[in-house]
Amino acid sequence: MAPSLSLSYDEPLFVERGEGQYLFDHEGNKYLDAINNISHVGHCHPRVVEAAYEQNKLLNTNTRYLHESILDYASNLIDKLPDNLTTCFFTNSGSESNDLALRIARLYNNSKESIVMSGAYHGHTNSLIDISPYKFFGSGGSGKKDFVHVVPMPDEFAGEHLDNESIFGDYYITALKDKIDKIKRDGKKLAFFIIEPIMGCGGQVIIPSDFMKEAFVLVKEAGGLFIVDEVQIGFGRIGTHFWGFEMSGVQPDIVTLGKSIGNGHPLSAVITTKHIAETFNNGMEYFNSFGGNPVSCKIGQSVLDIIEEEELQNNAQEAGKYLLNGLNLLQQKNSLIGDVRGRGLFIGVEIIKNNYKLSPDATVADKIVNALRQKRVLISSDGPNHNVLKIKPPMVFNIQDADYLLESLEAVLKKIIR
Ligand SMILES: Cc1ncc(COP(=O)(O)O)c(C=O)c1O
């Protein structure tokens, strides 16, 4: 195995089985999985397994043959999106979706000029490392390319502009405007702006609605495409809405989907307008050996059905609210917790040095993650300073699970403070 692969936890986990929101190790021990958002409707959901099995028995080919599964699925997927987003490309990973979105936007505007959010991660291909400050400014990264323009993340807790809250919004939107103006001054054209409505690797930071709305207007005025990366948070995870961009009401030009869309099966999608998709149809065929195959489409459809029938968006809202509330109470009692934020079942807990707001504590965050693993609760840490505890469980996570997580976290924090 390649040495650049990593394993979670100081004592890595040898898992053999998954069921719902639980994982079981080789000795049969049960773990509460509060991190694997990919297993959206629960590990090994019998209906997803059944959908894969039934279609595998019949046929699995590619999109060069007519098949009803892709049409049914595409049509049900776009029903969940705003009216302008009508055209689907199916792919096999979040990275593949974002890479394709970049090709589409760059061809549309005949430009490579890209605006991205600081701390963002959009995938592991060459093109995406180039637009992921999380990677190109991170360990082993080789810096920013000239065609990439980074705007500061409007992070209300630890962002770069905190001294005057009343001008918080202006500061970040002006930074975006400056980048757009610079591109114009250099005689170039903006290809796209890409954003996650809640930043994942950026530290579970909720992008303020005003920023989303104003950014949308600025990007559109400049002729750029507004790409929303829903790979982490789509499909009802945030509880109040099915998609993250719906929190602000903007209508993106391109939406990229991944992870939870296939509940662990390698499925992903790019959805855009008919007009943009037609521009991409410039004579070069788009062929994808696996994207949109009948087995993937049946699996994707089963995930959509389960979210609806098991009311998982509502569960994310209820269980998420309960967990956030519990974490807020814990914050009041605990000087190591600087901030608790999130929506639905996408939550971040910022760990700091004893009440000192702008002093991120990655070492303690790591200790907490490992101590929780010993208590059989699985989470991780992330963010630009590696000090944000990430909680994003399968959507079947319930109130009892939230209680167990809260009790375990409280016990771990007590021990660390002592
Ligand atoms: C926001 C975001 N976009 C894209 C990706 C890439 O997805 P994948 O790992 O499926 O290639 C990730 C992966 O973590 C992600 O967090």
Side-chain angles (χ1 to χ4, degrees), residues 8-22:
S8 297
Y9 311 114
D10 293 344
E11 189 188 338
L13 213 64
F14 184 2
V15 279
E16 281 193 339
R17 194 166 71 78
E19 189 178 327
Q21 62 277 49
Y22 307 110

Side-chain angles (χ1 to χ4, degrees), residues 93-95 98 121-124 196 229 231-232 259:
S93 70
S95 296
N98 280 333
Y121 174 66
H122 294 291
H124 62 74
E196 282 176 277
D229 180 336
V231 167
Q232 287 275 2
K259 293 198 190 277

